[in-house]
């Protein structure tokens, strides 16, 4: 005798749109019915939402479910014992209104044919075959035993926005999920979760998902990340933790940095690798010549690149020197400096773009100043030689940008009060702007500072520069400084990125004629603009002068740029050494 289903009788009588059947309550009746849904369920054509979860006895849906419930938009079948065959009968036809499908925790080893599984792949790939789930937005397949996904899913659910795959046995991502290149794969997919799988490869094809905003591949077996990940145009949040990445710096970044900084690092690394490959290709293809034609060819290849000329210490009649005192070792031990000549900051919004770029570098590659801090100075206002040392907070005095001279301890107290007041006014939990860097000096008995030959503090990292050496629209030559408590290589990487960005901005300013702006503090007359063609402007290289950092006895600690620096983007930057 068939088991009674009073819940279904009531639903039919009351013409319900939603129905939830608790698994523990119905498990015995499902088992008595052969492990499938009761036939009475097919007599509810108005049903829009159905949930039956946590029923270990449920092994199949039974035939005709899709045809009998055409209005269904939500189907939750999590924590059951459904397999591909058991799903196939119920999902054998289209569900045109279905928007959410939850099949998590069923132990699925393969997808049913309706979802692009291999069972009836030929049927789903027929030319002109309508999508089985044309309105499906969310598909939850977490907690199963899936090893791969087929391209049929993109055809079955073309409007998918959320795909949850955590806790399976996937080996590659996207793997076979994406259809051939001539099809448009998941144009709306914005959330992809595949944590706790066995993924060993995240392929560059991930960039083929144009709407991807959130990616979770934590706790997999990834040893590397593709540079193409940075090409996902809308990616804002990527959880990459818990993977055995070979790149130790990248591993540190994924565990402690914002997604934007990680993507910027991958982009820079990809450019460097691409540049090295391009160099190797040119060497292989370059014909052997005896007449010195190679130099002319190299010069021609440099046209269109950003040009940078290095002036070595030995060729500089008055090189800048920075002396580092022993006290910085326990506070902020690493510093790299150089001089950059020939910048264009007067036309239009050039200065504003320069300052914005510095802010963005602080947010990204400098990891909100926790990894490194940049300081830029007007070289004409810098009196060398310089000393990088430490001073007690009560003795260190500086004239911060836009403020009057103040002791460091009073400046920090003032900034902390401003931060708290701003936080209260804006009703925020956290402070913003300069104020969020104050914590980096907590517990320090001495503060780092860069002092000029006149004894004036021109930089107080990681907080502020001095008004004395402020960069203005009239500035043509820069003294650049990067400090860090992380590593010397971090300083060099940041300096490389800073110089590359300034070179890009300089070219933009030269190639895009703008009217002069009088927005700077000074009232001197505007210089006449010089018209240059793009090819002419790119042939006017910036000049970077080497700067030595020495200890108090004059022993060399670091020289920048060395012959190994400024090599991260050879495809973009041509360095004349």
């Amino acid at each position: 005798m068939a088991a009674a289903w009073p819940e279904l009788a009531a639903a039919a009588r009351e013409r319900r749109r939603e129905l939830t059947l608790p698994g523990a309550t119905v498990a015995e009746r499902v088992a008595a019915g052969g492990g499938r849904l009761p036939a009475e369920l097919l007599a509810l054509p108005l049903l829009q939402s159905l949930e039956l979860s946590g029923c270990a006895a449920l092994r199949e849906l039974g035939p005709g479910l899709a045809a009998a419930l055409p209005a269904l938009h939500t189907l939750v079948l999590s924590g059951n014992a459904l397999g591909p065959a058991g799903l196939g009968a119920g999902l054998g036809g289209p569900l045109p209104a279905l928007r959410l499908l939850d099949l998590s925790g069923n132990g699925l080893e393969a997808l049913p044919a309706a979802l692009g599984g291999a069972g009836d792949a030929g049927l789903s790939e027929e030319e002109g075959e309508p999508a089985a789930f044309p309105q499906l937005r969310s598909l939850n397949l977490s907690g199963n035993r899936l090893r791969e996904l087929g391209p049929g899913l993109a055809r079955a659910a073309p409007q998918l926005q959320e795909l949850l795959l955590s806790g399976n046995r996937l080996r590659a991502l996207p793997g076979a999920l994406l259809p051939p290149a001539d099809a448009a794969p998941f144009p709306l997919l914005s959330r992809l979760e595949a944590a706790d799988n066995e993924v060993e490869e995240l392929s560059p094809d991930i960039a083929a998902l144009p709407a991807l905003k959130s990616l979770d591949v934590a706790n997999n077996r990834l040893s590397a990340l593709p540079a193409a990940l940075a090409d996902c145009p809308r990616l804002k949040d990527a959880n990459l933790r818990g993977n055995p990445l070979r790149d130790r710096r990248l591993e540190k970044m994924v565990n402690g940095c914002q997604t934007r900084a990680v993507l910027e690092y991958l982009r820079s690394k990809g450019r460097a690798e691409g540049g090295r490959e391009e160099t190797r290709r040119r060497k292989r293809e370059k014909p052997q010549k005896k007449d010195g034609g190679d130099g002319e060819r190299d010069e021609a290849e440099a046209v269109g690149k950003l040009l940078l000329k290095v002036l070595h210490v030995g060729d500089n009649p008055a090189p800048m020197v920075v002396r580092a005192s022993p006290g910085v070792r326990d506070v902020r031990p690493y510093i790299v400096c150089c001089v950059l000549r020939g910048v264009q900051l007067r036309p239009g919004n050039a200065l504003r773009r320069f300052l914005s770029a510095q802010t963005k570098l602080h947010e990204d590659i400098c990891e909100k100043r926790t990894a490194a801090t940049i300081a830029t100075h007007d070289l004409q206002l810098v009196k060398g030689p310089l000393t990088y040392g430490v001073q007690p907070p009560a003795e260190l005095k500086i004239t911060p940008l836009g403020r009057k001279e103040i002791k460091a301890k009073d400046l920090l107290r003032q900034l902390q009060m401003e931060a708290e007041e701003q936080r209260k006014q804006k009703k925020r939990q956290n402070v913003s702007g300069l104020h969020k860097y104050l914590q980096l000096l907590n517990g320090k008995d001495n503060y780092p500072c860069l002092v000029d030959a006149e004894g004036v503090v021109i930089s107080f990292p990681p907080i502020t520069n001095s008004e004395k050496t402020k960069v203005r629209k009239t500035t043509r030559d820069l003294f650049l400084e990067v400090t860090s408590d992380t590593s010397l290589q971090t300083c060099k990487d940041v300096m490389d990125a800073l110089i590359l960005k300034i070179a890009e901005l300089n070219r933009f300013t030269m190639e895009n004629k703008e009217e002069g702006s009088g927005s700077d503090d000074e009232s001197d007359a505007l210089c006449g603009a010089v018209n240059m063609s793009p090819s002419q402007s790119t042939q006017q290289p910036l000049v970077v002068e080497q700067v030595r950092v020495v200890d108090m006895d004059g022993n060399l600690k670091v020289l920048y740029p060395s012959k190994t620096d400024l090599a991260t983007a050879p495809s973009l930057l041509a360095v004349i050494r």
Side-chain angles (χ1 to χ4, degrees), residues 287-294:
Q288 298 297 320
K289 295 184 179 180
K290 299 181 180 180
D291 57 0
D294 285 352

Side-chain angles (χ1 to χ4, degrees), residues 123-329:
L123 294 177
S124 62
E125 293 178 9
E126 282 186 17
E127 187 71 27
E129 184 78 12
F133 307 100
Q135 297 299 320
L136 190 63
R137 299 294 192 268
S138 176
L139 176 60
N140 190 347
L141 296 169
S142 302
N144 286 290
R145 301 172 191 159
L146 298 171
R147 294 187 179 276
E148 62 179 354
L149 302 171
L153 181 58
R155 290 184 289 270
Q159 302 299 308
L160 201 61
Q161 297 177 6
E162 180 180 80
L163 180 57
L164 310 181
L165 301 166
S166 296
N168 281 282
R169 299 176 181 176
L170 299 173
R171 297 290 182 87
L173 200 73
L177 182 63
L178 301 180
D182 58 346
F186 299 114
L188 303 179
L189 187 65
S190 62
R191 180 183 176 194
L192 177 59
E193 292 187 0
D196 301 299
N197 275 272
E198 301 172 6
V199 178
E200 298 177 346
E201 179 190 9
L202 184 63
S203 78
D205 292 339
I206 193 73
L209 299 173
L212 188 64
K213 295 180 180 179
S214 176
L215 174 68
D216 188 351
V217 288
N219 304 321
N220 278 283
R221 301 177 181 177
L222 294 169
S223 59
L225 298 176
L229 188 62
D231 296 331
C232 295
R234 298 188 179 182
L235 187 60
K236 302 296 183 184
D237 182 25
N239 185 359
L240 307 165
R241 299 180 180 89
N243 286 287
L245 298 170
R246 291 192 300 267
D247 186 329
R248 295 307 176 198
R249 182 181 178 191
L250 179 59
E251 183 179 36
K252 180 180 177 182
M253 292 183 72
V254 302
N255 287 320
C257 301
Q258 290 187 338
T259 297
R260 183 168 55 180
V262 174
L263 297 182
E264 185 64 32
Y265 176 76
L266 289 174
R267 183 178 292 111
S268 299
K269 188 176 179 181
R271 286 174 179 170
E273 291 175 352
R276 285 193 290 270
E277 179 59 33
E278 178 68 11
T279 300
R280 287 192 291 267
R281 183 188 66 79
R282 288 175 178 173
K283 288 182 177 178
R284 289 195 300 267
E285 295 179 355
K286 184 181 292 186
Q288 298 297 320
K289 295 184 179 180
K290 299 181 180 180
D291 57 0
D294 285 352
E296 294 179 1
R297 177 176 175 179
D298 290 343
E299 183 177 351
E301 289 174 343
V303 174
K305 290 184 181 181
L306 302 164
L307 295 187
L308 193 70
K309 182 178 180 180
V310 175
L311 180 61
H312 296 268
V313 169
D315 300 325
N316 191 343
M320 183 71 75
V321 177
V322 178
R323 296 177 298 192
S325 73
V328 299
R329 186 181 300 113

